[in-house]
Amino acid sequence: MAERGTRPSVTPVPAVLTVGVEEEFLLLDPVTGESLPVADRVLGALSGHSRRQSRPEFRHSMVEMVTPVCTDLVRLRAELLALRRSAAEAATAAGARLVAVAATPVCEPHRTVPDKDRYRAMSRRYGPVAHDPAVCGCHVHVGVPDRELAVQVCNRLRPWLPVVQALSTNSPLHDGHDTGHASWRSMQFDRWPSVGPSPYFVDAADYDRTVADLIAAGVMLDAAMVYWYARPSTAYPTVEVRVGDVCPTVDDTVLVAGLIRALVATLVDEVHAGRPAPRVRNCLLAAAHWRAAHDGVDGELIDLARGGTRPAWELVEELYAVVTPALLRHGDLETVRGQLDRLRHEGTGATRQRRAMAASGGDVRAVLDRLAADTVRG
């Protein structure tokens, strides 16, 4: 039987779900590694498809590139690579480097927000939190055209997202030093009051009431400030998963996107089968995300189903097993399996940054050289 408060989807869900990705990037000084406030120049230098798929961000030293809606990972990869390379060329022309790194690695001297009413309002409301050094995420959209269904999928995503977060970790550095966290972006971003694990909602009306209450309380300025790790998108008919760091390479992004699409497809089937969403205590869920941000996949993660901690890769393989039928249905099994094996051998972006740091004797600029090359690697 379906959960109380749910209703059947009124919009048919196709066998193959669409996928799209938003990636945020830093613009760094090629010599010092400091963030450079040249986003306007970079965006202005883009043209055609790349310009249409670009977005300004909350910092003058950030740009966002957005893929079109895709139905297969081959096209998604091609779009990601083309957009990264176009943005990197524009950054070079502006005297900067486009770098796929999720937290400011050295420093950001210029932290004023762009001249937009909404950004100025955020600056006034949240004060120093709005002027933290820039962070960059990877947001994956999966087509779920029925909003009621999207809310139920988000309920079921809750226990799996720490595993996805661990796989995407790519920000161990801050102020030129290793923070001890695989994702410092997660620690820094958590200062915003509307960031965190997605709450459990009975239905879409419950979701809407909660968001309205938070806006009325002054926690959020508007519904676009729902920064939970998964949400029904405010702009598209999708489930948006926004837990991950921006990934260092397009292959890393394709892996994360492929896993998320398969997971969403699996959970859509669970909703239709009437299987209830697991009710995970919020304190344990928050702890699981902290552990994922701290260890990545190099240590242990909290097993929210059985309790305690387990080696991270055991939980990754459990996730893979759960979504294998959906990977097969979407034609993604071989790609995702190959990329998981590669990641297990190479390590996440955080692991690779630490390896490069050690090899260079602690030279952050050498790490950034590697990251800039990885950003556009084909």
Side-chain angles (χ1 to χ4, degrees):
M1 179 173 292
E3 292 175 46
R4 185 179 179 182
T6 66
R7 60 174 173 80
S9 171
V10 298
T11 305
V13 177
V16 174
L17 303 184
T18 59
V19 63
V21 175
E22 301 166 346
E23 293 189 299
E24 298 164 343
F25 302 99
L26 287 183
L27 301 166
L28 303 182
D29 187 297
V31 178
T32 67
E34 294 182 355
S35 300
L36 287 180
V38 294
D40 287 347
R41 291 168 57 190
V42 172
L43 294 173
L46 295 173
S47 61
H49 179 67
S50 296
R51 183 67 186 94
R52 290 190 297 272
Q53 301 305 127
S54 67
R55 305 285 188 275
E57 257 300 334
F58 193 54
R59 282 287 185 277
H60 294 287
S61 57
M62 292 175 63
V63 296
E64 181 179 56
M65 305 302 289
V66 181
T67 73
V69 177
C70 300
T71 56
D72 64 82
L73 297 186
V74 173
R75 186 191 172 199
L76 180 69
R77 187 184 190 280
E79 291 284 354
L80 289 165
L81 186 58
L83 291 172
R84 284 180 175 219
R85 287 180 170 174
S86 294
E89 290 177 7
T92 298
R97 289 199 297 195
L98 187 85
V99 181
V101 62
T104 300
V106 178
C107 68
E108 184 178 19
H110 307 282
R111 299 191 196 176
T112 58
V113 299
D115 189 23
K116 291 187 176 183
D117 290 343
R118 186 168 183 271
Y119 289 164
R120 288 194 297 269
M122 291 169 69
S123 177
R124 290 192 299 270
R125 175 68 58 86
Y126 303 104
V129 172
H131 298 273
D132 279 344
V135 293
C136 296
C138 172
H139 304 162
V140 178
H141 289 259
V142 180
V144 179
D146 184 83
R147 197 161 177 277
E148 197 74 47
L149 179 60
V151 169
Q152 299 305 326
V153 168
C154 289
N155 284 341
R156 289 159 175 80
L157 279 168
R158 285 159 45 92
W160 289 113
L161 291 186
V163 182
V164 175
Q165 180 181 18
L167 283 166
S168 73
T169 49
N170 185 39
S171 52
L173 304 181
H174 172 69
D175 197 25
H177 302 285
D178 192 329
T179 63
H181 293 74
S183 174
W184 186 248
R185 166 188 167 271
S186 298
M187 298 295 98
Q188 188 177 317
F189 200 37
D190 196 48
R191 280 160 55 89
W192 288 87
S194 56
V195 170
S198 309
Y200 178 93
F201 295 105
V202 173
D203 52 25
D206 185 25
Y207 179 97
D208 291 339
R209 282 192 301 269
T210 302
V211 172
D213 287 345
L214 291 170
I215 293 171
V219 173
M220 304 175 187
L221 295 182
D222 50 42
M225 283 196 70
V226 174
Y227 296 150
W228 296 322
Y229 297 149
R231 67 179 186 181
S233 171
T234 58
Y236 309 108
T238 64
V239 166
E240 180 184 2
V241 175
R242 44 189 302 118
V243 72
D245 285 359
V246 67
C247 295
T249 70
V250 293
D251 284 334
D252 296 319
T253 304
V254 167
L255 168 61
V256 170
L259 281 172
I260 289 173
R261 175 165 71 165
L263 181 55
V264 169
T266 300
L267 299 178
V268 166
D269 292 343
E270 289 191 3
V271 175
H272 286 158
R275 296 175 192 155
R279 300 297 293 266
V280 182
R281 284 183 290 173
N282 289 338
C283 59
L284 287 178
L285 194 57
H289 280 289
W290 181 88
R291 190 67 188 257
H294 187 272
D295 286 20
V297 292
D298 292 332
E300 295 194 334
L301 298 177
I302 295 176
D303 186 335
L304 291 167
R306 304 177 192 174
T309 61
R310 292 169 58 198
W313 277 101
E314 289 186 8
L315 291 173
V316 171
E317 292 298 339
E318 282 193 8
L319 170 61
Y320 175 77
V322 166
V323 304
T324 289
L327 290 171
L328 281 167
R329 188 166 82 229
H330 286 81
D332 296 342
L333 185 68
E334 184 176 345
T335 296
V336 168
R337 182 70 261 176
Q339 293 299 340
L340 273 177
D341 291 342
R342 176 192 59 79
L343 195 73
R344 190 161 192 169
H345 173 71
E346 292 183 357
T348 64
T351 305
R352 285 175 247 166
Q353 287 185 54
R354 286 169 168 157
R355 190 181 301 135
M357 191 89 159
S360 66
D363 185 355
V364 175
R365 289 173 298 180
V367 179
L368 300 181
D369 288 344
R370 167 68 184 271
L371 281 168
D374 282 350
T375 300
V376 295
R377 177 155 56 94

